[in-house]
Amino acid sequence: MTARPPVDLRHALATLDLLPGELVRVGAELPARYGVSAHYARWAGAPAAPPTGPGPAVLFDRVRPDHGPARAVLMGLYGTRRRAAGLLGCTPAELPRRLLAAVAAPRPPVPATDPARWPRGTLPLDLTALPVPVLTEEDAGPYLTLGAVLATDPETGVRNLSVHRMCVQGPDTLTIWMVPGRDLELAHQAALRQGRPLPVAIHLGLGPAVLLSSCCPTSLVPPSVDELAVAGALAGQPVELLPCRTVDAEFIAHAEYVLEGELLAERAPESRHGEVATPEFLGYQGRAHPSLPLVRVTAVTARESPIFQAVSGPGHEQSVLLGFGMEAAVLDLLNRRGTPVRAVNCHTAGGGQLMVVLQWPAKRDPGDDAAVLASAEAVVEEFRMAKLVLCVDEDVDVESDQDLWWAMVTRFQADQDLRVLPDREGFPLDPSQHTGYSRAISADGRTAKAVFDCTVPYAQRSRFRRPRFTEPSLPVPRRPGAPLPR
């Protein structure tokens, strides 16, 4: 799609503008509450309820909050794997290896040398006046669904950039959900041990390299590695930073919106956030949390005519964003095992996490039959999120659901090609991972895992050749004036 990744969100949209059907602009004014999501539903893609399917990026030019001016909202920029990878100048198969290379050779961020390159102003300190979508009537309120939080651990000095869901609770207050034990929560705890809140910069609307790097799992980007340095390597140029105006933190210079603030020790009262949540990336209503940490916002800055970026939950886009980092992590594991896997696809049907497709090169000897199974079992044991692994041969297109099902139908016998690993650590947002669903599960959040070996056994390989259509032989062009052949 492009030889060099776009630096910022506007460059990404300009790239899509040149490609028919990749970017749709909606000029009609829509309400932030339900209007954006209702209009976007046809393009949200599974696991959103049908009828829906992966579609274009959609820029809503005029989205009006309950009060305040109408502003632009972007949905679906990463709504297909091909478009997401294309924005970084590669194919979906190439992007995980690009991520691995970026982790191996990071490019640290640098201070912005020309702040005027991305001029920004200060908006009124009122989050309720921003065009934050409310997606469904079950949402607890307006959610920042793609807010990238940048913070520095006060004990280690390492930056962390991670995407979190945050609910607007008032003009200057958000609640935030942090995965227990992950980098942002650890930095928050370190700050609290020092008796102070954690300064943060929350970004809305970032360039593709930065956002995709922020979605990488810890197994790929450990706490000692700066996600912004990975983003710099992925983009081919360092990320530029500027100091915040009201807190002791940095922000990414090209961001559309920046919410400066502090992650506090206080938590929201139970009655404010205890009954409802918002739909999850697996397609079901999220679990309500009775009390969540609070972010006090101290300033809102934005570029001129800023673009508020969001994702639909549920929808295809979240799964695409989560999948590429997971694929790179699986590739890293298999590389360390010396396994010659050709490609990894963390299928969007599993939220980019729960279903892993492994494509294998041609088998060289009978020992490769066992190696395929052993490597697939290693994946489900190493990654608690991985629930199903589907192994296919190199002639199967891992980006084609039709080809994957064809391989399942014609290269799989359940009595010998299915491996079940019972009662493993899993992922509680999958509602089937519940003791009420299966008595074989010892606790909620545990699951039976499965490997489907849809590769052809080495001894049977001659019976499974796919026919290729023959190219017609073209006539040899006749030189003008030459006699016709007899």
Side-chain angles (χ1 to χ4, degrees), residues 96-229:
R97 299 184 191 278
R98 288 271 303 275
L99 278 168
L100 281 178
V103 172
R107 296 185 65 173
V110 298
T113 56
D114 182 14
R117 183 181 179 192
W118 292 291
R120 59 194 315 110
T122 301
L123 300 184
L125 183 52
D126 185 359
L127 302 178
T128 66
L130 298 181
V132 187
V134 180
L135 300 176
T136 78
E137 62 183 9
E138 296 182 83
D139 287 13
Y143 272 92
L144 311 184
T145 52
L146 211 54
V149 181
L150 182 62
T152 299
D153 189 305
E155 292 181 350
T156 66
V158 176
R159 292 186 198 87
N160 170 251
L161 181 72
S162 50
V163 174
H164 297 265
R165 192 166 51 202
M166 289 163 275
C167 186
V168 176
Q169 302 291 336
D172 66 348
T173 309
L174 299 162
T175 48
I176 182 170
W177 162 242
M178 296 179 286
V179 178
R182 295 292 296 270
D183 295 349
L184 183 61
E185 189 196 50
L186 296 177
H188 182 216
Q189 292 173 345
L192 296 183
R193 284 194 293 271
Q194 297 179 2
R196 60 188 182 89
L198 179 69
V200 295
I202 301 168
H203 305 77
L204 298 156
L206 291 168
V210 176
L211 191 60
L212 282 164
S213 297
S214 74
C215 294
C216 290
T218 303
S219 57
L220 179 67
V221 184
S224 59
V225 177
D226 186 347
E227 284 90 353
L228 292 185

Side-chain angles (χ1 to χ4, degrees), residues 289-378:
H289 298 277
S291 179
L292 289 174
L294 290 170
V295 178
R296 182 177 65 238
V297 177
T298 54
V300 178
T301 67
R303 298 178 64 176
E304 185 178 355
S305 302
I307 301 169
F308 187 99
Q309 190 175 10
V311 295
S312 173
H316 202 74
E317 186 174 15
Q318 293 185 70
S319 302
V320 171
L321 285 168
L322 291 170
F324 285 120
M326 178 76 166
E327 289 167 14
V330 171
L331 271 176
D332 181 54
L333 169 68
L334 296 178
N335 287 343
R336 287 186 277 110
R337 289 177 52 89
T339 304
V341 67
R342 286 197 63 190
V344 179
N345 179 351
C346 290
H347 202 286
T348 54
Q353 304 275 293
L354 276 68
M355 178 177 174
V356 182
V357 181
L358 303 179
Q359 185 191 54
W360 299 93
K363 293 178 179 177
R364 300 158 297 181
D365 55 57
D368 282 345
D369 291 337
V372 166
L373 280 172
S375 297
E377 289 182 8

Side-chain angles (χ1 to χ4, degrees), residues 306-447:
I307 301 169
F308 187 99
Q309 190 175 10
V311 295
S312 173
H316 202 74
E317 186 174 15
Q318 293 185 70
S319 302
V320 171
L321 285 168
L322 291 170
F324 285 120
M326 178 76 166
E327 289 167 14
V330 171
L331 271 176
D332 181 54
L333 169 68
L334 296 178
N335 287 343
R336 287 186 277 110
R337 289 177 52 89
T339 304
V341 67
R342 286 197 63 190
V344 179
N345 179 351
C346 290
H347 202 286
T348 54
Q353 304 275 293
L354 276 68
M355 178 177 174
V356 182
V357 181
L358 303 179
Q359 185 191 54
W360 299 93
K363 293 178 179 177
R364 300 158 297 181
D365 55 57
D368 282 345
D369 291 337
V372 166
L373 280 172
S375 297
E377 289 182 8
V379 170
V380 293
E381 294 283 20
E382 176 76 14
F383 297 96
R384 72 178 183 90
M385 299 279 282
K387 181 181 180 183
L388 307 177
V389 173
L390 177 66
C391 301
V392 297
D393 294 297
E394 62 183 353
D395 64 340
V396 175
D397 181 0
V398 297
E399 299 289 336
S400 165
D401 289 348
Q402 290 290 322
D403 237 25
L404 295 177
W405 280 112
W406 172 82
M408 174 76 78
V409 168
T410 66
R411 298 181 178 184
F412 175 81
Q413 284 293 317
D415 61 339
Q416 67 178 27
D417 296 325
L418 174 63
R419 297 290 188 275
V420 177
L421 291 73
D423 201 25
R424 296 306 202 267
E425 183 184 10
F427 184 59
L429 288 184
D430 170 5
S432 74
Q433 298 184 27
H434 189 277
T435 53
Y437 188 97
S438 170
R439 285 178 290 182
I441 297 172
S442 62
D444 293 348
R446 294 183 68 83
T447 187

Side-chain angles (χ1 to χ4, degrees), residues 470-478:
T470 304
E471 290 288 338
S473 57
L474 300 177
V476 178
R478 185 170 64 91

